[in-house]
Amino acid sequence: MRDETDAAVMAEFPELVDRADAAVRRQVIDATFRRVLHRLEGRRGTDSDAETHRAFGAAAAYAGVPLERLTTAYRIGARVGWAHIRRAVRELELGGEVALLLADVQVAYIDVLTSDSIEGYTQAVETAYHRQARERQSLIEDLLAGRATEESARELEWDWCEELAVAVLYGDSALDPTRPSDVLVGTYDGAVIAVGPAEALENALGQLPAALGPTVRTSELSRSFERARRLASLVTTGTLAREGLVRWSDELVTIIVHAAPDAAEELAARRLAPLRDSSAERERLLYDTLTAWLDHPGRPQAIAQQLCLHTQTVRYRVARLRERLGVQLDDPRARFELALALRYRLGGAAPRASSGPGGGGPQPD
């Protein structure tokens, strides 16, 4: 049975043959059939045979053999064993009850030895997973500290690049620490981070909540981390109203404004004071209209499209703005300061579409 099984495995499962020498294969096959014989005799299997299957499962994991292919090899052995059992049943003219008992034993032993092999396979995968995660974590720390070398990266099969970026993850963001070789995932200075080329990071992160720092030379990677963490802080504190992946390069104005919050608050208080109103909703509508007007100065149709309003309603709202802001709307420097003040006060939030009924005419602003 051992020889027949080995021949069948060699014919049907060549990749296992390439990764396990003949002596190992025969040892596992012998242990398999010993265990079924012990079950037929009513004896408990030996611990060494169980350990053989656990070790074989671990070896398959380390060799990169998929788990489903490993269980396929066991089914090949079961098929050979069952052929011999059926022949014995016919030759000895055993009854159907005995045949069913033998079939039950067959199924039971396949379950047991498969379970042992899966246990060994799983433990090996977990060990390799944690080892790889530890090694990549060490590489991340070396990269951020400027100690990493191209040789040390190559040992971990990580693609060395001369320019990299860092993303800081927050909220419910989660990435597998053993992602493809172009992205490293780990922690640094209390933050969960991902390191890699900017394009690879964007592809890996998708729309997960994360702040992506600028691309820098690998030797200056700590600068990308610090900027990503600063950007993440603006989002998590609600200062910057953003969702999903936020890029440093897209938020420079907001970051600059919030770098000196005292000065920004003074600018906002001075420039936006005319928009104060006893009605919080009316004040917000004025902010939204001003934001859209600064985006599209003198273009009521574009403003109407941005706010989902009728053009006549936009003209009405802009007239109310002019009553409050006067010549500021026509002064380039004042408009620039108004834009900065809004960016600080609203955290970069986009203006809201009108919630009025239809937007077909002047709203009671």
Side-chain angles (χ1 to χ4, degrees), residues 168-244:
V168 171
L169 288 70
Y170 49 87
D172 295 329
S173 298
L175 281 178
D176 184 349
T178 56
R179 288 191 63 81
S181 58
D182 53 356
V183 173
L184 295 171
V185 181
T187 61
Y188 188 77
D189 198 17
V192 178
I193 67 170
V195 177
E199 183 177 357
L201 287 173
E202 292 194 23
N203 291 335
L205 291 167
Q207 289 304 309
L208 289 175
L212 179 60
T215 296
V216 297
R217 293 185 60 82
T218 299
S219 58
E220 303 172 347
L221 195 60
S222 59
R223 181 159 56 90
S224 182
F225 166 70
E226 292 298 341
R227 292 182 174 183
R229 182 157 65 174
R230 193 187 316 168
L231 181 58
S233 177
L234 291 176
V235 177
T236 56
T237 58
T239 301
L240 182 62
R242 292 289 184 270
E243 294 181 355

Side-chain angles (χ1 to χ4, degrees), residues 24-257:
V24 172
R25 293 198 310 272
R26 288 185 171 87
Q27 180 185 10
V28 174
I29 294 169
D30 282 347
T32 299
F33 287 124
R34 269 200 306 273
R35 294 181 79 174
V36 73
L37 287 174
H38 290 158
R39 283 184 170 271
L40 288 171
E41 295 169 351
R43 290 195 291 141
R44 183 179 179 274
T46 64
D47 292 337
S48 61
D49 286 340
E51 184 57 37
T52 295
H53 288 108
R54 281 192 287 269
F56 188 63
Y62 290 130
V65 177
L67 184 58
E68 64 273 14
R69 300 298 287 151
L70 177 62
T71 56
T72 297
Y74 285 139
R75 288 196 293 272
I76 292 173
R79 190 176 67 224
V80 171
W82 183 242
H84 282 267
I85 291 174
R86 285 185 304 169
R87 183 167 60 251
V89 168
R90 287 196 303 270
E91 290 176 355
L92 298 176
E93 298 181 352
L94 302 176
E97 185 175 348
V98 174
L100 290 174
L101 175 62
L102 295 173
D104 181 66
V105 171
Q106 175 93 348
V107 172
Y109 104 86
I110 284 290
D111 286 346
V112 170
L113 68 88
T114 299
S115 176
D116 288 338
S117 293
I118 290 176
E119 179 183 346
Y121 191 100
T122 302
Q123 289 177 348
V125 168
E126 290 179 351
T127 299
Y129 177 91
H130 291 301
R131 183 180 67 250
Q132 186 179 22
R134 287 195 301 271
E135 291 172 344
R136 291 193 162 206
Q137 174 63 35
S138 178
L139 178 57
I140 286 175
E141 293 172 1
D142 288 346
L143 283 167
L144 270 294
R147 297 190 301 264
T149 64
E150 187 171 352
E151 182 180 358
S152 63
R154 193 183 305 116
E155 290 176 356
L156 293 180
E157 299 182 351
W158 184 68
D159 300 329
W160 178 269
C161 295
E162 293 300 326
E163 293 186 330
L164 296 170
V166 176
V168 171
L169 288 70
Y170 49 87
D172 295 329
S173 298
L175 281 178
D176 184 349
T178 56
R179 288 191 63 81
S181 58
D182 53 356
V183 173
L184 295 171
V185 181
T187 61
Y188 188 77
D189 198 17
V192 178
I193 67 170
V195 177
E199 183 177 357
L201 287 173
E202 292 194 23
N203 291 335
L205 291 167
Q207 289 304 309
L208 289 175
L212 179 60
T215 296
V216 297
R217 293 185 60 82
T218 299
S219 58
E220 303 172 347
L221 195 60
S222 59
R223 181 159 56 90
S224 182
F225 166 70
E226 292 298 341
R227 292 182 174 183
R229 182 157 65 174
R230 193 187 316 168
L231 181 58
S233 177
L234 291 176
V235 177
T236 56
T237 58
T239 301
L240 182 62
R242 292 289 184 270
E243 294 181 355
L245 180 62
V246 187
R247 300 166 184 81
W248 170 271
S249 58
D250 294 341
E251 306 295 344
L252 291 176
V253 173
T254 301
I255 294 164
I256 291 170
V257 169

